[in-house]
Amino acid sequence: MADTSKNNCSTIASQECIDKIRAKLNAKQAQHVIQTRSMTVKSRSTKKSSKQKVAPIAAHQAKSPPSIKGKVPTSTTDSTNVEVLTVLGKTVHMVDPDRKVFVIYLLSPETCDEIRMMADNHTLNAKKDAEVWRTLYTYTKMDLPVVEVKDMVSNYTDNILHDVKKIVGVIFGMRREAMRLRPRSWKEPHLLLYQVLDGKPHHTGIEMHYDGCDVTWQAMLTRQDEYEGGGTYFRSLRKTIRLKQGQVLVHPGELYHKGIDITYGVRCLLICFTDGMNPKILDDSRQEDDDPKYETNVLVCG
């Protein structure tokens, strides 16, 4: 019998949920300002004190310290050191040029919201005993093939797939081959939903895995103020990529990655596994090299 308890879920966070997350974000920002001011005052005090000491100390401090191998950042980082390209009129952040992991600014907020509203209307109009969102082989997430949502393929996902293929062709230097990329099954693309809400089943993230396809892309449909946590961690990059609404993350399907757990709210993505172009990129990471601390190295592009 179908689990219809998932049919009352929504891809859009409630206003109450958003207000809670915004309050936490504001509190964190206020705390950050206080800490920054405190560090600035302390730094000024230290500089003033050091000037009163022997001059050679200042000269010694001016030397560059030796690099610390394996040092892992433990906070969110920006994309300052990431190469930014303009490809076919779209901004592309090259997260890892060698492994061909990149982020495209592709979808407008309006398009993201329209796709989610179509999915929610499809869920609301489903028959009582129908299973709309599926857990498939894991209970940590929920899936919905877009082909089951009326007009979503013709109105949105066909065009998104076409645009992604063209940009993939440029980035990989394989324009003709990229246009042969096709969804690997009738279930592609699919909507992916994580939720951690009171009174509803929790679907938080997904374990380490590889997709086994040629190229994977995922589009973030949710605003950042609708969930906490989340992101896609790549073992070979030792980095978690956290997308903004409308951004599309593209990577070879052979790279090991995981969906970092959300801790509250709703996170919805549009994902597609495609075959037809061999990217000739294999994962060079090893399981024994993995460490949970690397997951805290978060990259936000733009």
Side-chain angles (χ1 to χ4, degrees):
M1 184 175 179
D3 180 8
T4 57
S5 65
K6 297 189 289 291
N7 290 1
N8 64 350
C9 63
S10 173
T11 62
I12 302 174
S14 67
Q15 189 59 49
E16 179 183 5
C17 173
I18 294 172
D19 289 343
K20 286 182 180 180
I21 294 173
R22 285 179 177 173
K24 290 182 181 180
L25 290 173
N26 290 336
K28 287 181 180 179
Q29 186 176 12
Q31 184 64 30
H32 177 70
V33 171
I34 293 173
Q35 290 176 346
T36 302
R37 288 176 179 173
S38 176
M39 291 174 64
T40 302
V41 172
K42 185 176 180 180
S43 176
R44 288 174 180 172
S45 176
T46 302
K47 287 181 180 179
K48 184 176 180 181
S49 175
S50 64
K51 288 180 181 179
Q52 296 173 353
K53 296 182 180 180
V54 184
I57 295 179
H60 174 72
Q61 290 173 340
K63 295 180 181 179
S64 299
S67 59
I68 303 175
K69 187 176 181 180
K71 185 177 180 182
V72 180
T74 56
S75 60
T76 301
T77 58
D78 59 25
S79 54
T80 304
N81 297 323
V82 175
E83 182 183 9
V84 181
L85 308 175
T86 300
V87 181
L88 303 178
K90 302 296 182 181
T91 300
V92 177
H93 290 258
M94 296 301 301
V95 177
D96 191 309
D98 294 329
R99 296 181 179 88
K100 297 295 187 290
V101 179
F102 54 95
V103 174
I104 313 168
Y105 269 97
L106 189 63
L107 309 180
S108 68
E110 292 77 16
T111 295
C112 295
D113 291 342
E114 287 166 6
I115 291 174
R116 291 195 292 166
M117 284 189 287
M118 288 181 73
D120 284 358
N121 289 335
H122 172 74
T123 302
L124 290 172
N125 294 327
K127 294 181 179 180
K128 186 176 181 180
D129 59 345
E131 184 179 33
V132 179
W133 290 93
R134 303 167 176 82
T135 52
L136 297 179
Y137 43 80
T138 173
Y139 287 91
T140 59
K141 62 181 179 63
M142 294 183 287
D143 300 287
L144 171 60
V146 299
V147 70
E148 296 183 357
V149 182
K150 184 181 179 181
D151 297 330
M152 186 173 287
V153 173
S154 58
N155 289 357
Y156 294 103
T157 60
D158 270 354
N159 292 330
I160 295 171
L161 176 60
H162 182 71
D163 291 343
V164 171
K165 288 196 294 185
K166 290 196 297 183
I167 294 174
V168 165
V170 174
I171 297 297
F172 280 81
M174 304 169 69
R175 294 178 185 240
R176 184 177 298 177
E177 295 88 340
M179 296 312 293
R180 292 199 292 263
L181 284 170
R182 295 290 183 272
R184 62 160 32 175
S185 78
W186 68 269
K187 296 178 181 179
E188 305 300 327
H190 65 275
L191 292 168
L192 176 64
L193 181 63
Y194 302 110
Q195 68 174 14
V196 177
L197 298 171
D198 296 337
K200 293 187 177 182
H202 288 187
H203 301 275
T204 56
I206 186 169
E207 64 280 356
M208 184 69 70
H209 66 286
Y210 69 96
D211 300 325
C213 60
D214 288 338
V215 177
T216 298
W217 57 263
Q218 57 173 280
M220 175 56 65
L221 303 179
T222 311
R223 297 194 315 272
Q224 289 183 307
D225 63 356
E226 294 184 74
Y227 65 95
E228 295 175 331
T232 303
Y233 170 73
F234 288 89
R235 193 166 70 189
S236 58
L237 275 60
R238 295 186 175 181
K239 187 177 299 181
T240 296
I241 300 173
R242 191 170 292 164
L243 299 175
K244 295 181 179 180
Q245 187 182 44
Q247 291 182 333
V248 177
L249 171 62
V250 182
H251 62 88
E254 291 293 325
L255 297 186
Y256 276 89
H257 58 286
K258 66 182 292 186
I260 299 297
D261 287 349
I262 66 169
T263 56
Y264 184 66
V266 174
R267 181 172 180 254
C268 183
L269 303 103
L270 174 67
I271 295 181
C272 191
F273 305 137
T274 62
D275 289 320
M277 181 199 85
N278 183 2
K280 301 178 182 179
I281 295 176
L282 299 177
D283 197 302
D284 57 355
S285 66
R286 299 180 302 176
Q287 186 175 359
E288 56 267 30
D289 294 335
D290 203 12
D291 193 313
K293 67 184 179 183
Y294 295 126
E295 297 175 9
T296 63
N297 182 15
V298 179
L299 175 68
V300 178
C301 295

